[in-house]
Amino acid sequence: MGPRQLSQPFGDEPYDEVDLPRAPLVRVLSQLRFERMSVLDSPSTAGEFTAALSDIYPYSDSSTELNLLLGGGQVASQPTSQTVWRLRSADKTRTVTLTNGAISLETSTYSGRSDFCKELLSVVEVLQGIVKVPSFNRIGVRYTNRITGDLLHRLSDLLRAEILGLSSVSLGNAQLQHAVSQVSFILGSGRGLVGQWGQLSENSGFDPGLPVVPERSYVLDLDAYLQSDAISPLPASIEAEARALAERAYRFLRWAVTLDFLREFGGEV
């Protein structure tokens, strides 16, 4: 049996994996969160982490980001700030970001979940060798797809009607400028998935961490996560959980897109 449309986004029906050489992925991101640790208040610790990864991520910089505290519907009068260390690969397509409370791996050249999760494993091994985080409280794997150009006229061929929403409705003399939906699913045992999708006008976005483009676009963003007070700190366990989350996001994608989508982006269907 060849690839087919899935009937449920979170079912257990079998499916064939389809490689998409021209996938419209613009970002794949995995982030692990943990409680603040006093050891990471020291710049020397971050320096040791940066040095340990310098062969793979030779470029680094740091900055101070402002976090406004919200409460009672108002912005707190005393904002907090924290240092952010960013390490970039030689080709600047992969970035490791470390703060006192989170570490992430991001890439714009995704070659598959196996390679991505192995790279995440390597980064976590270095972190644990230096900092020894006792446990993580959230791990997420996030995929951001963006469709532009002439393909915007073929969205009804590429995506399910449930995903398209107003993007598939004839509006008469009006033109849809911006329509992004956000949904959240709880799967039990701290697991879930957050999805955002819809049309964006020129030079607009839905995520401050993602550069905008000077043309209309359609985005499909999926964030599969596990949230718990005691996620195992063992790097091998983190890799296994990241792989499972990546598979969950892929299953949802396979439900959301059509066989024409798979063909359009290089899938052998």
Side-chain angles (χ1 to χ4, degrees), residues 6-174:
L6 297 186
S7 61
Q8 295 179 335
F10 302 107
D12 55 6
E13 59 189 306
Y15 63 89
D16 295 322
E17 297 252 357
V18 179
D19 182 44
L20 299 181
R22 301 189 301 275
L25 277 171
V26 293
R27 176 184 63 186
V28 178
L29 170 70
S30 180
Q31 184 190 66
L32 288 79
R33 298 178 188 170
F34 51 91
E35 295 294 327
R36 286 183 62 92
M37 300 180 64
S38 58
V39 67
L40 277 171
D41 287 330
S42 170
S44 63
T45 302
E48 187 178 352
F49 176 79
T50 299
L53 289 172
S54 61
D55 287 346
I56 303 174
Y57 307 95
Y59 302 112
S60 66
D61 63 74
S62 63
S63 61
T64 300
E65 293 189 352
L66 194 64
N67 296 319
L68 296 179
L69 302 178
L70 301 180
Q74 296 182 344
V75 178
S77 59
Q78 293 183 338
T80 63
S81 62
Q82 67 173 343
T83 302
V84 178
W85 294 275
R86 293 184 179 85
L87 291 67
R88 294 182 174 85
S89 60
D91 60 4
K92 298 185 179 180
T93 63
R94 308 190 314 280
T95 302
V96 172
T97 303
L98 175 67
T99 67
N100 194 345
I103 185 168
S104 65
L105 171 65
E106 178 180 346
T107 182
S108 59
T109 54
Y110 185 71
S111 58
R113 75 174 70 101
S114 179
D115 288 344
F116 184 78
C117 292
K118 286 179 180 178
E119 186 165 8
L120 179 65
L121 168 65
S122 298
V123 171
V124 174
E125 284 178 333
V126 172
L127 177 71
Q128 291 296 64
I130 297 171
V131 180
K132 295 180 175 58
V133 179
S135 67
F136 295 93
N137 52 44
R138 190 186 191 277
I139 174 173
V141 180
R142 183 176 181 182
Y143 293 84
T144 306
N145 298 269
R146 178 191 281 148
I147 298 173
T148 58
D150 292 339
L151 288 180
L152 292 178
H153 302 297
R154 294 185 50 216
L155 290 177
S156 59
D157 296 328
L158 304 177
L159 301 166
R160 294 181 72 108
E162 296 92 330
I163 295 293
L164 283 173
L166 280 174
S167 296
S168 64
V169 176
S170 176
L171 300 174
N173 295 325

